């Protein structure tokens, strides 16, 4: 039986990855932060909390990382934990640098010292492309991060490459484009949209307030993407791979897809800060722009080229953005029935 350790197991990807690894017969361990009230909602929703081994674990604490790895020496180590919200990274820039950047070298150096045979996965991100230097973005595209989050992740990405090249470690980075699900954090735009629209469909009257409606993202389903992470660690040689759908969509179009799944038909009125969306049937205002959600620097366009992953890993995104929006909107609508 293989063993795996997942940092960030209580997050969206951690929960899906844990479920996938359990289905493959792994013994799954994961790190949870000490907080005043244990939070395993996502693991509970997938029905796997009792099947995994949870360890107190914080990326900020070097000795804690050291002891965990020394005691477990897992076959595979997936580093998914992060301060993952771009918007907060301007308020928490030093913390984000530590958790999303420095912690990666703490883990790698511990692995190198006490468990060099462990295979390592680093959760890199399309946010590293930022002000994109090439369309679509692939593994070789020059990085130009646009947020403290993106900058911290660039460090994590390069230090992973460096430990692979310096010490021959089986260390791989997945450059994942945005991936969402009903378990997505509520502050991300997709989930904010589906939660808000579900509340309106249930009779609520608070319009969803959003920022930049024109930015474009390459959105896939998290359940598909964790399979790509696992495939990376099954390769004989470590490497870096983009996982993406190759389709890019505006925030406005994602909103429209989610609304359609809840039987709304929208009229879009106005532009910029004046833009609104109105449901034709009920005449209700369902979206208005609030400039407080604009970012100090924006990533306007992301679209990935996952050819390398398709050829080397046999991986392909399975879920269209329309189906993803519908899946999330319906899940939030159903959850609000109670
Ligand atoms: P989430 O925000 O859902 O999960 C983040 C996890 O990290 C949570 O389990 C959180 O714990 C944990 N965590 C945060 N800070 C610490 C810390 N100091 N010590 C230990 N654990 C900590 O993120 P996702 O699941 O969406 O993303 C997984 C990874 O993939 C992240 O690294 C993210 O940056 C990256 N990524 C995500 C993309 C996406 O679209 N989802 C795209 C590309 C990369 P707690 O539950 O206690 O908060
Ligand atoms: P990100 O790609 O990791 O930053 O994922 P997000 O879901 O947080 O943001 C995706 C895009 O949606 C960015 O271009 C945001 O500027 C844009 N956006 C527009 N309105 C909002 C909003 O209200 N909340 C969030 N989170 N993003 C918004």
């Amino acid at each position: 039986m293989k063993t795996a350790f997942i940092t960030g197991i209580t997050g969206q990807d951690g929960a899906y990855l844990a479920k996938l690894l359990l289905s493959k017969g792994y013994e799954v361990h994961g790190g949870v932060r000490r907080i005043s009230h244990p939070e395993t909602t996502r693991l509970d929703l997938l029905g796997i909390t009792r099947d995994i081994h949870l360890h107190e674990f914080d990326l900020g604490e070097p000795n804690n990382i050291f002891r965990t790895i020394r005691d477990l020496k897992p076959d595979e180590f997936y580093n998914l934990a992060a301060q993952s919200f771009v918007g907060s990274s301007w308020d928490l820039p030093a913390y984000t640098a530590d958790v999303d950047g420095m912690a990666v070298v703490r883990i790698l150096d511990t692995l190198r010292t006490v468990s060099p045979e462990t295979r390592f996965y680093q959760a890199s991100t399309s946010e590293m492309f930022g002000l994109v230097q090439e369309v679509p973005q692939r593994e070789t595209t020059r990085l130009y991060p646009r947020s403290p989050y993106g900058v911290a992740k660039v460090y994590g990405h390069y230090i992973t490459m460096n430990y692979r090249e310096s010490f021959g470690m089986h260390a791989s980075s997945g450059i994942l484009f945005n991936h969402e699900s009903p378990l997505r954090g509520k502050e991300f735009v997709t989930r904010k949209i589906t939660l808000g629209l579900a509340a309106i469909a249930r009779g609520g009257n608070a319009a969803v307030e959003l920022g930049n409606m024109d930015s474009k993202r390459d959105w896939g389903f998290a359940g598909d993407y964790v399979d790509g992470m696992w495939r990376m660690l099954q390769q004989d040689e470590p490497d870096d791979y983009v996982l993406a759908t190759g389709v890019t969509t505006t925030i406005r179009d994602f909103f429209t897809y989610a609304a359609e799944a809840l039987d709304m038909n929208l009229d879009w009125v106005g532009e910029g800060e004046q833009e609104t969306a109105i449901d034709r049937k009920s005449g209700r205002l369902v979206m208005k722009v609030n400039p407080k959600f604009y970012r100090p620097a924006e990533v306007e366009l992301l679209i990935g080229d996952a050819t390398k992953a398709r050829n080397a890993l046999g991986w392909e995104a399975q879920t269209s953005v329309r189906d993803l929006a519908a899946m999330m909107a319906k899940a939030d609508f159903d959850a609000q029935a109670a």
Side-chain angles (χ1 to χ4, degrees), residues 170-232:
H170 197 295
S172 298
S173 274
I175 308 174
L176 270 51
F177 283 63
N178 296 51
H179 46 281
E180 322 290 310
S181 74
L183 303 185
R184 184 60 145 151
K186 294 176 184 175
E187 65 278 37
F188 293 88
V189 75
T190 52
R191 188 75 198 289
K192 185 173 167 185
I193 290 170
T194 58
L195 276 168
L197 283 172
I200 292 169
R202 288 269 173 211
N205 54 15
V208 186
E209 296 190 14
L210 298 175
N212 181 0
M213 298 300 288
D214 292 313
S215 69
K216 293 180 165 178
R217 290 290 181 274
D218 179 330
W219 279 298
F221 171 50
D224 297 343
Y225 285 52
V226 297
D227 174 61
M229 298 176 186
W230 174 77
R231 286 175 190 242
M232 287 178 212

Side-chain angles (χ1 to χ4, degrees), residues 9 119 126 201 235 256 282 306 319:
I9 197 165
R119 295 185 172 197
S126 55
Q235 302 306 300
T256 302
S282 63
T319 312

